[in-house]
Amino acid sequence: MTTQQRSTQAVLDSFFEKFGAGDLPGLLDLFADHVDFRVQGSPRVPWTGTRTTKAEISEFFQIFPKVLTGPQSFTLTARIVDGQDAVVTADSVFGVLATSKSFTNSYALHVRVENARITRYHMYEDSYAIAEAFTE
């Protein structure tokens, strides 16, 4: 494993540790000042869209506890690290507070790590299923 791969792996491990612990300041410290941050999908899903700054990324992570229950399940299913890039796949189940509906989300996350900071964060998820769970 190269030095870059070890750095990417360490940042990825730290990301999931801090995300799972709800450590927003620690999570934000993992991101560069300018990030190519995208979550494609339905505009009915409150966290979709493009962001670039830490303030916007902070808002992104603060959305989840406002609109979702805690995870009913969360499993990392695969992890591939290739130099600066890492792809993680996961399965999760969450509930929507406003509708009391649950959704299963199988997603892929592509991150790029440069100088021990996340510079790219692209999430690919089933926004149709999520949007349905947000619909009364």
Side-chain angles (χ1 to χ4, degrees):
M1 185 177 278
T2 68
T3 301
Q4 179 61 55
Q5 285 173 309
R6 280 192 294 279
S7 174
T8 300
Q9 181 74 40
V11 170
L12 193 61
D13 289 345
S14 187
F15 171 84
F16 282 106
E17 177 185 310
K18 292 177 186 316
F19 181 75
D23 178 2
L24 183 59
L27 193 63
L28 292 175
D29 284 344
L30 296 174
F31 286 88
D33 291 334
H34 181 82
V35 180
D36 176 10
F37 191 108
R38 288 187 233 164
V39 180
Q40 303 294 335
S42 171
R44 292 189 310 187
V45 176
W47 56 83
T48 60
T50 301
R51 295 160 178 85
T52 57
T53 68
K54 283 190 180 185
E56 292 169 333
I57 294 167
S58 176
E59 290 172 4
F60 169 84
F61 286 110
Q62 290 179 61
I63 290 170
F64 297 110
K66 293 177 183 174
V67 299
L68 299 179
T69 65
Q72 296 168 16
S73 69
F74 183 87
T75 306
L76 291 174
T77 55
R79 176 188 308 224
I80 301 165
V81 177
D82 184 14
Q84 297 177 323
D85 293 293
V87 175
V88 174
T89 59
D91 294 320
S92 61
V93 178
F94 286 90
V96 175
L97 294 172
T99 65
S100 298
K101 293 181 181 179
S102 292
F103 62 89
T104 299
N105 188 20
S106 295
Y107 70 89
L109 174 63
H110 174 203
V111 297
R112 177 168 295 141
V113 175
E114 299 175 63
N115 299 317
R117 296 287 181 260
I118 298 170
T119 60
R120 177 184 176 141
Y121 181 103
H122 287 194
M123 182 180 284
Y124 306 95
E125 60 187 356
D126 183 358
S127 71
Y128 179 80
I130 299 168
E132 287 296 304
F134 274 92
T135 303
E136 299 273 351

